[in-house]
Amino acid sequence: MKEKPYVVFTINDGGKEESYNVDLEQLRTIVKNASIKDETLNLNLSFNGEILPLKFKKSQLLELIKKTDLKKQIVPKSISNYLVDLTRLLSQKQSTPIKGRDDEIEKVWFYISQKRRNNVFLVGGTDVGKTAIAMEIARQISTNECPKEFYDTRVMMLRPELILKIKNEFALKIVMNKIMEFLVKNKNKVILYMDKAIYMKMDEYFVMMFYAFITKYNIPIITTSSEEVFEEHFFQENIFSKYVNEVYIEEPELEELQPMLQSKIVALQKEYGIKISDEMIKFGIFTSSLSESVSLNPGNVLNIFGKSFLEAKRKGKDYVDKKSVLSCYNSYLKLYSKITLEDKKIIAYHETGHYVAQIMSEHMEDVKIAFVSILPMMDFLGVNSTYRILGKNLNYTKEYMIDWIAVFLAGRVAEKQITDKFSTGASSDLEMANMLAEQMVMKYGLLSDAKDQNRCYVTGENISKSYLISEKKKQELDSEVKKILEEAYKKAEKIIAENKYLLDSIANWLVDEEILTGEQLEIICQICNEEKQGQIAENKEKE
């Protein structure tokens, strides 16, 4: 005879702790029969022949019931290697909620709540956080933070990589049949999760099973995919396309990364016994684009922090410092070590020119500087890393676009201050400046000729409508592009000339520090402004 499941209550009575076992079903019935409005329940439960009055919050009792339920393994042992109860697993360890993905998580709950077509493909790049969202769904169920209809649900993770290692086809068929039988039997109590949706197409058993789950049994499914795989194998595939829902997981904005990674960074501090300051966390996030993946995806940035903590530990440091973070970019540092001091100075002036033009712009208030670096990255000798304030500017005027072009041209203007000549280092800047100027003329109608201000000479794919453009019109349009570039260049020259002291100061700091964050640059700007104002006041006194 099976022992009835029970909930353990530990009660402190005058400093003495007593544990009592309460029948799980008895407690479940009491909570179920309680009024919806009741937040606190008065319980008179029988313990070993005596009646003990207790008062609990309903949420506490639901949590106790959930914890007791999750102790039970419901997956048959014969398939437990291939089907993992994620909800049960997460309930047994301390886990923290993820941050910054509330909208995406809400969409997942919406889709899997549907009676039909209750599946969701989390689509995005590597390390963007697709798996973390699926894990968060399981975590929320384990703590009753999920929608009420999922309180008694469990997330089951299918492990196709292990299933496909079964070489005997008959043994494989038996395992697949048992998995399918279990999931269909418990279809109202499970959500199926599988990392990498492409596994659905790698074996005929998987194709048939998932097609049945999606079209016949309506078992809630969460899976992940890259954009390329989703577009090719599911979105355009007739068998699946009309049955699937997708949620695109985008790369987060710079300012979203720190709260998103905070709990992971705290865990790294505990693991290595090393501290890290908020300033260094920002430095690590801002400079993560120097890594070979050039990605702000949470997984890539977290990998940078993991290496930084390891390096600090290896060097016997108590804190993660700048050198610990920069050690993650060895391939670029090797190249940097071979650059002469004179060339470093030229790069510093070039990058500072971009920065000064940016902060002195009259119209680009939605753009912020994350950091400026003279360390090589990919094909660039230096970097101005920027990010936009979401919602700050939704439409771009002609003046905004000219300021933007001026920022691209300001690098070579500043570089010329110390070399008195141009170099090929501005090739990508020129490409971007010309592209923006051409778009202003050809696509947006932001040109001086009134008769062409309502014309668009490119298709939606930015392909030139050559049938509309005569040789004479080409010359006219090219003349407009030249006017825009000349105006932007003169603006860049004016900004650099008027801020020569600031340009020199930041460039010298860059040569010494190699990387300056946005906050550090603002401090330098403030100091330079105070010095400039002091000099003006001193000159007035002399007069």
Side-chain angles (χ1 to χ4, degrees), residues 75-301:
V75 179
K77 192 172 182 180
S78 59
I79 57 172
S80 60
N81 285 337
Y82 310 111
L83 195 65
V84 178
D85 188 341
L86 269 186
T87 309
R88 181 172 183 266
L89 194 65
L90 290 174
S91 71
Q92 296 170 352
K93 59 182 181 180
Q94 189 71 29
S95 57
T96 55
I98 66 170
K99 294 184 179 180
R101 294 298 191 188
D102 293 349
D103 290 343
E104 292 88 343
I105 291 168
E106 187 61 33
K107 287 178 183 176
V108 172
W109 284 125
F110 171 77
Y111 283 128
I112 63 176
S113 296
Q114 298 178 142
K115 296 297 182 185
R116 297 182 182 278
R117 198 175 172 178
N118 52 346
N119 60 78
V120 60
F121 283 62
L122 300 174
V123 182
T126 304
D127 289 334
V128 78
K130 304 184 294 293
T131 301
I133 290 172
M135 293 295 175
E136 177 63 10
I137 295 296
R139 189 202 67 80
Q140 288 187 11
I141 291 175
S142 73
T143 58
N144 282 344
E145 296 172 52
C146 58
K148 288 184 178 180
E149 62 264 37
F150 291 100
Y151 276 6
D152 297 325
T153 304
R154 300 197 189 194
V155 177
M156 297 291 170
M157 180 175 70
L158 189 67
R159 303 189 67 187
E161 73 281 6
L162 295 183
I163 296 172
L164 291 173
K165 287 182 179 179
I166 302 173
K167 300 301 180 184
N168 185 288
E169 188 171 346
F170 184 68
L172 174 63
K173 185 177 181 179
I174 290 174
V175 168
M176 294 295 285
N177 284 341
K178 285 188 175 182
I179 290 172
M180 189 164 183
E181 182 183 330
F182 170 79
L183 292 172
V184 171
K185 181 181 178 181
N186 296 279
K187 65 178 183 178
N188 296 322
K189 296 181 180 179
V190 298
I191 296 169
L192 181 61
Y193 165 63
M194 184 176 74
D195 197 22
K196 297 184 177 62
I198 191 61
Y199 279 117
M200 293 184 192
K201 298 293 192 77
M202 294 182 72
D203 184 274
E204 62 178 314
Y205 290 116
F206 281 103
V207 174
M208 291 187 292
M209 183 173 74
F210 276 95
Y211 185 74
F213 287 165
I214 290 172
T215 63
K216 182 178 180 181
Y217 298 111
N218 297 305
I219 294 174
I221 295 172
I222 301 173
T223 187
T224 64
S225 175
S226 67
E227 289 189 38
E228 295 79 11
V229 168
F230 180 74
E231 292 289 333
E232 181 179 351
H233 294 281
F234 297 98
F235 187 73
Q236 297 176 8
E237 170 61 65
N238 290 331
I239 295 177
F240 284 100
S241 61
K242 61 183 178 181
Y243 298 108
V244 302
N245 304 296
E246 69 274 9
V247 174
Y248 284 90
I249 313 302
E250 305 290 345
E251 186 176 283
E253 298 294 326
L254 262 172
E255 65 269 25
E256 295 174 327
L257 273 170
Q258 186 165 351
M260 195 177 282
L261 297 175
Q262 192 64 45
S263 63
K264 301 291 185 183
I265 293 172
V266 169
L268 284 171
Q269 291 185 82
K270 290 180 180 178
E271 180 183 350
Y272 288 97
I274 293 172
K275 296 180 180 179
I276 185 170
S277 66
D278 278 348
E279 182 183 0
M280 200 50 56
I281 291 174
K282 290 177 182 176
F283 182 80
I285 290 172
F286 289 160
T287 58
S288 60
S289 56
L290 290 170
S291 68
E292 292 181 1
S293 70
V294 199
S295 167
L296 287 176
N297 288 341
N300 174 58
V301 180

